[in-house]
Amino acid sequence: MRITALLSSAAFLGLAACSSFTASQSSDYDGLDRAQLLEDLQILASDEMQGREAGTPGNAMAREYIIGRLQEIGIDPVGDNFEHPFQYSFRRGPGERLPGVNILAEIEGTGDSDHVMVLTAHFDHEGMRDGQIWNGADDNASGVAALLAVAEDFVENPPEHDLIFAFVDAEERGLQGARAFVANPPVPEENIVFNLNLDMVAMSDDRILWAVGTYHYPFLKPLVERVAERADVNLPMGYDEPGGPPGSDWTMLTDSGAFHAAGIPFIYLGVDFHPHYHQPSDTYENMTLEFFQDATETILDFAREAEAGLDMIAEESGR
């Protein structure tokens, strides 16, 4: 059964009961569709998706839903198709390769700059374990739903620079989708000057959304500070300095690590570890939904600020 028939919105919800950056245009956008944001999160984290493990029917169902939403939004695919297959090795015998599929969409900028920003969120999760569904609402249906909201806003309010929205696969198997993207990007790698990565943005009782990456790229601190000043959530910087105790450096723990390894500046926005992390309890019902909505507003503001400052990012980083 096609996902459009299985998970139509109404049916599903019924079942579910200068030397610094220039000023951004973030205050000019038409506004976040908060209801659609929650609907996307709820559907992607539903039992029907069976945890979205890479290579499974549930993962394919999630891809179909994401592509359907991109088509509704009116964003163009990268190339002739939204789907970009790749292969990878993961804890298997020599020479054995596993399939993955990234979803890539793009918005052409209104200016003449070659600089490109890539926005990423992984859509896979852990799948089924011992008969239980690991729904992955925060990890990372939340990042995907937020990225869809950002894409919709940029379609309605076109950017100056080219943007690529990469919904990547097999993050839980070693950032494989992001590594495949960086190894074979759809534009010259030197044109990619910034990566904004979203991973776990829906669960925080303390209303904290961490901005990770400024230790490596300190010229990004003013960008974070400006967004933090007007955010409705707390937006501290950290979790990116080497040499601390285990778990204190998130640099290589999510898809932005693949971009960092290639010398591409990044900011990773995400919440701290919580009791539902990589547990069957990572469900829609256990998310802090008002925080998630406010965090997505901040993410959208941040994306606008970064896009407005993309040429400065390129200059500061030497790309």
Side-chain angles (χ1 to χ4, degrees), residues 12-261:
F12 183 86
L13 289 176
L15 289 171
C18 68
S19 58
S20 62
F21 297 97
T22 59
S24 85
Q25 302 169 350
S26 59
S27 61
D28 298 332
Y29 69 85
D30 293 337
L32 175 70
D33 187 339
R34 290 185 163 223
Q36 182 65 61
L37 178 73
L38 295 186
E39 183 176 321
D40 288 339
L41 174 64
Q42 190 171 23
I43 291 175
L44 287 165
S46 69
D47 285 352
E48 284 81 357
M49 300 290 183
Q50 299 181 329
R52 308 185 308 277
E53 183 177 8
T56 65
N59 181 281
M61 186 177 291
R63 288 202 313 272
E64 188 170 353
Y65 179 78
I66 294 165
I67 291 170
R69 287 286 293 119
L70 292 171
Q71 291 170 334
E72 289 177 8
I73 289 168
I75 192 171
D76 293 327
V78 170
D80 296 329
N81 199 311
F82 285 107
E83 295 188 325
H84 292 253
F86 62 93
Q87 293 187 326
Y88 65 96
S89 298
F90 179 73
R91 298 178 186 172
R92 299 297 177 96
E96 187 170 2
R97 306 281 284 171
L98 299 174
V101 183
N102 290 336
I103 302 168
L104 305 183
E106 63 182 349
I107 298 175
E108 184 176 350
T110 59
D112 57 3
S113 173
D114 291 332
H115 298 147
V116 178
M117 178 165 70
V118 178
L119 302 92
T120 50
H122 75 91
F123 65 89
D124 67 298
H125 190 55
E126 295 286 350
M128 305 277 292
R129 298 289 184 272
D130 298 323
Q132 288 186 301
I133 300 173
W134 293 44
N135 300 86
D138 198 21
D139 188 11
N140 185 35
S142 65
V144 172
L147 191 55
L148 287 168
V150 173
E152 184 165 16
D153 186 81
F154 273 111
V155 167
E156 295 175 356
N157 304 278
E160 179 183 353
H161 302 88
D162 292 352
L163 305 181
I164 295 176
F165 294 84
F167 301 83
V168 293
D169 199 1
E171 187 268 357
E172 302 288 1
R173 293 180 171 175
L175 321 185
Q176 299 296 340
R179 294 183 193 278
F181 178 95
V182 173
N184 186 28
V187 296
E189 183 190 303
E190 60 268 22
N191 290 3
I192 301 174
V193 300
F194 184 66
N195 167 234
L196 174 59
N197 182 51
L198 311 179
D199 194 352
M200 297 175 56
V201 298
M203 174 63 212
S204 177
D205 290 325
D206 298 327
R207 294 181 59 81
I208 295 174
L209 183 70
W210 285 94
V212 179
T214 57
Y215 172 85
H216 303 287
Y217 307 100
F219 54 85
L220 295 174
K221 288 182 179 180
L223 188 159
V224 178
E225 291 168 348
R226 280 196 297 277
V227 175
E229 286 178 357
R230 54 183 180 255
D232 288 332
V233 301
N234 300 306
L235 189 66
M237 294 174 269
Y239 281 115
D240 50 12
E241 188 169 352
S248 64
D249 183 1
W250 299 351
T251 301
M252 299 303 297
L253 297 186
T254 183
D255 295 302
S256 44
F259 291 84
H260 175 61

